[in-house]
């Protein structure tokens, strides 16, 4: 991929290399980091070389031309942390890339839309639905709604307006997605402003890899389940699933995703990983579990799946997940994963290990490890 902003835009930090070279560079770093843990048969899954991000956020940058006309461009941060005006981006999905100049042209010709607008976020599905969030430094009023409704129709997208303490949803605040997982279509909605995996094609490879490599039996426990990205696809392979997550919006979305696929064997509970550990050990009772009729002792768990944020697992959560025979650990940060593995490897063997290039042209890589409890001596 060739990008005119390589070396200037700080979002792609591995820019002076081809796609294959940047991946090889990252994998070599991770091979050194995980030298004591990496099995010889570890796997690497590539991303598409461009147009792979189905989520993107930009600043909107205003300036004036020599003849004093307003000029609007997208902006990223450069390597000196200053704004960098850009006209296009090659890592975002084709839908987002094509929409970007059309949106600017529409906003530029309308004072109500452009006034005090300072940022935007795109969320796109592989089926062509897009939701756009416009972020302002002003209160959004009836005139703005009228103009934005026209813009929704003109661009055939959904729009959400945000400003301080204000969120205006014009039609919906979600998009529909269908992922083909091992040739089976699974339906999802992705909600504006909630977590979703940015690289959808790599996300499919991650879900398939878990199904194809993990031991799928008895009941599954999941922490950090988000909107059910892994939960929904894995649930047919387990008797029952209990999935937990801290975000109310994500739990509500996960329940809708369950209904969309007519799945009935999952319970979603809004609990932090630490709270669920306390509920599991009967240290604390939670109304949030009673209200959804969850009796933890009725589950026959043998596996736990965790997909924590960048910080990784805290000590309390590590102690808790050691109750399970199999741990499926998904990580977006190899630094915290390495730290967590130092503890987990005392009682667990690493059965499978794979890297997924979710974040091409950056130093980050997604990792999934399947661990199996060591036999007692
Ligand atoms: C990396 S995301 C993974 C979400 C989901 N597995 C997916 O693939 O879309 C991490 C999730 O952990 C949630 N989270 C953050 N801290 C948490 C905590 N202490 N306990 C439970 N969930 C937490 C976030 O709300 C977020 O949805």
């Amino acid at each position: 991929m060739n990008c005119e902003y390589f070396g200037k835009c700080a979002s792609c930090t591995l820019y002076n290399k081809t796609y294959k070279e940047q991946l090889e560079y990252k994998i070599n770093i991770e091979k050194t980091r995980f030298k004591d843990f990496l099995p010889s048969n570890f796997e690497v899954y590539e991303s598409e070389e461009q147009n792979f991000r189905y989520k993107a956020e930009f600043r909107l940058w205003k300036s004036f031309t020599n003849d004093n006309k307003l000029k609007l461009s997208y902006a990223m941060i450069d390597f000196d942390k200053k704004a960098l005006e850009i006209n296009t981006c090659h890592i975002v999905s084709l839908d987002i890339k094509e929409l970007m100049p059309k949106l600017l042209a529409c906003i530029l010709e309308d004072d109500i839309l452009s006034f005090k607008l300072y940022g935007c976020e795109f969320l796109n599905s592989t089926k062509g639905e897009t939701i756009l969030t416009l972020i302002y430094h002003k209160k959004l009023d009836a005139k703005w709604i009228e103009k934005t409704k026209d813009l929704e129709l003109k661009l055939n997208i959904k729009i959400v307006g945000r400003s301080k303490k204000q969120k205006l949803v014009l039609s919906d605040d979600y998009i529909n997605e269908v992922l083909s997982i091992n040739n089976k279509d699974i339906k999802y909605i992705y909600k504006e402003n909630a977590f979703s995996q940015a690289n959808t094609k790599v996300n499919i490879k991650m879900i398939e890899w878990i199904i194809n490599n993990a031991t799928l039996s008895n009941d599954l426990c999941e922490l950090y389940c988000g909107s059910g990205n892994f939960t929904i696809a894995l649930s047919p392979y387990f008797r029952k699933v209990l999935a937990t997550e801290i975000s109310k919006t994500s739990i509500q979305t996960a329940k809708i995703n369950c209904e969309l696929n007519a799945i009935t064997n999952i319970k979603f509970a809004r609990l932090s990983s630490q709270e669920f550990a306390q509920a599991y050990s009967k240290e604390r009772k939670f109304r949030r579990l009673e209200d959804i009729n969850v009796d933890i002792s009725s589950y026959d768990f043998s596996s736990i799946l965790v997909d924590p944020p960048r910080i990784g697992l805290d000590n309390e959560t590590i102690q808790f997940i050691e109750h399970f025979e199999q741990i499926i650990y998904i990580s977006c940060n190899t630094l915290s994963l390495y730290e967590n593995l130092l503890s987990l490897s005392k009682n667990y063997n690493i059965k499978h290990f794979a890297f997924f290039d979710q974040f091409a042209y950056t130093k980050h890589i997604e990792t999934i490890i399947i661990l199996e409890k060591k036999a007692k001596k």
Side-chain angles (χ1 to χ4, degrees):
M1 182 179 88
N2 238 332
C3 175
E4 53 272 50
Y5 305 107
F6 270 167
K8 297 178 193 153
C9 173
S11 83
C12 289
T13 48
L14 296 179
Y15 50 82
N16 53 356
K17 296 173 168 43
T18 64
Y19 174 76
K20 300 260 186 236
E21 284 168 352
Q22 64 88 40
L23 184 57
E24 197 183 333
Y25 171 84
K26 285 196 279 206
I27 296 300
N28 281 336
I29 293 175
E30 300 311 336
K31 270 163 99 174
T32 309
R33 189 189 320 277
F34 290 103
K35 64 181 184 317
D36 298 332
F37 298 120
L38 205 60
S40 55
N41 61 348
F42 79 92
E43 295 172 75
V44 178
Y45 289 85
E46 295 184 1
S47 169
E48 297 200 324
E49 296 197 8
Q50 53 187 45
N51 309 119
F52 49 81
R53 272 193 75 96
Y54 286 78
K55 280 166 80 165
E57 50 182 275
F58 300 99
R59 287 286 301 272
L60 283 163
W61 196 255
K62 285 175 193 160
S63 55
F64 289 90
T65 59
N66 288 342
D67 51 353
N68 219 22
K69 283 200 180 120
L70 178 66
K71 187 179 157 228
L72 199 58
S73 40
Y74 295 98
M76 296 297 290
I77 300 296
D78 71 11
F79 286 94
D80 294 322
K81 296 200 163 57
K82 294 201 180 100
L84 172 77
E85 290 180 57
I86 60 165
N87 295 319
T88 187
C89 175
H90 303 287
I91 65 170
V92 299
S93 71
L94 279 177
D95 285 347
I96 298 178
K97 192 177 173 187
E98 280 166 18
L99 184 60
M100 286 172 68
K102 291 184 197 160
L103 175 69
L104 277 198
C106 292
I107 292 175
L108 200 55
E109 66 188 29
D110 191 297
D111 290 347
I112 293 174
L113 290 176
S114 64
F115 188 59
K116 301 235 172 190
L117 173 66
Y118 72 95
C120 70
E121 293 173 8
F122 297 91
L123 176 63
N124 174 230
S125 80
T126 56
K127 302 294 166 201
E129 278 190 42
T130 305
I131 191 153
L132 166 73
T133 310
L134 293 174
I135 311 161
Y136 287 87
H137 280 309
K138 69 172 177 187
K139 195 167 176 340
L140 304 175
D141 57 14
K143 278 189 184 155
W144 179 86
I145 293 176
E146 199 186 312
K147 293 286 181 185
T148 312
K149 276 190 175 155
D150 291 344
L151 187 62
E152 270 196 332
L153 288 175
K154 193 165 176 185
L155 298 177
N156 191 23
I157 57 173
K158 298 172 178 179
I159 302 181
V160 171
R162 282 189 180 270
S163 86
K164 203 173 172 191
K165 292 190 185 155
Q166 199 183 14
K167 173 185 170 185
L168 283 184
V169 179
L170 294 195
S171 43
D172 295 317
D173 62 353
Y174 65 86
I175 50 166
N176 292 284
E177 179 61 284
V178 182
L179 304 186
S180 172
I181 307 290
N182 287 338
N183 298 319
K184 188 178 159 215
D185 282 352
I186 305 194
K187 296 176 195 155
Y188 293 89
I189 62 164
Y190 292 166
K191 230 168 154 128
E192 186 262 355
N193 209 33
F195 181 89
S196 62
Q197 303 278 353
N199 189 328
T200 309
K201 306 274 173 69
V202 170
N203 182 39
I204 292 172
K205 294 183 189 183
M206 288 162 50
I207 301 172
E208 288 183 338
W209 186 84
I210 295 172
I211 294 172
N212 299 340
N213 288 282
T215 303
L216 308 168
S217 61
N218 304 339
D219 297 337
L220 173 70
C221 182
E222 183 180 351
L223 308 180
Y224 316 94
C225 69
S227 306
N229 175 49
F230 296 105
T231 336
I232 306 288
L234 292 178
S235 63
Y237 301 92
F238 291 91
R239 192 181 63 118
K240 288 198 291 179
V241 182
L242 179 54
T244 64
E245 153 69 48
I246 206 170
S247 153
K248 204 173 184 173
T249 312
S250 295
I251 288 288
Q252 284 165 351
T253 312
K255 287 179 181 166
I256 297 170
N257 287 333
C258 237
E259 282 172 22
L260 281 176
N261 295 283
I263 287 170
T264 54
N265 67 338
I266 310 175
K267 291 260 175 156
F268 287 102
R270 189 174 64 80
L271 286 148
S272 71
S273 57
Q274 300 83 354
E275 286 172 330
F276 188 67
Q278 290 164 0
Y280 186 89
S281 63
K282 297 196 171 67
E283 201 180 313
R284 261 178 86 185
K285 277 191 172 173
F286 288 90
R287 275 281 300 275
R288 279 167 280 163
L289 283 174
E290 284 165 15
D291 288 349
I292 55 168
N293 293 322
V294 167
D295 171 11
I296 295 179
S297 63
S298 72
Y299 286 81
D300 180 16
F301 291 126
S302 46
S303 301
I304 186 156
L305 184 147
V306 293
D307 182 13
R310 293 189 58 73
I311 194 160
L313 304 173
D314 56 283
N315 289 338
E316 200 179 340
T317 307
I318 290 189
Q319 274 181 17
F320 163 63
I321 69 172
E322 295 211 353
H323 286 102
F324 297 78
E325 276 303 307
Q326 175 178 251
I327 300 171
I328 304 162
Y329 190 149
I330 303 155
S331 164
C332 58
N333 181 359
T334 48
L335 289 172
S336 56
L337 175 65
Y338 177 77
E339 288 302 315
N340 289 165
L341 267 188
L342 290 176
S343 306
L344 289 168
S345 61
K346 289 176 193 146
N347 296 321
Y348 285 81
N349 291 316
I350 291 169
K351 290 275 288 180
H352 301 279
F353 201 130
F355 295 111
F356 297 83
D357 198 15
Q358 270 265 1
F359 318 104
Y361 307 103
T362 78
K363 291 183 179 156
H364 302 291
I365 195 146
E366 191 90 8
T367 312
I368 311 185
I369 304 182
I370 300 176
L371 302 122
E372 190 183 71
K373 205 174 225 168
K374 289 180 182 171
K376 280 200 182 112
K377 285 181 187 151

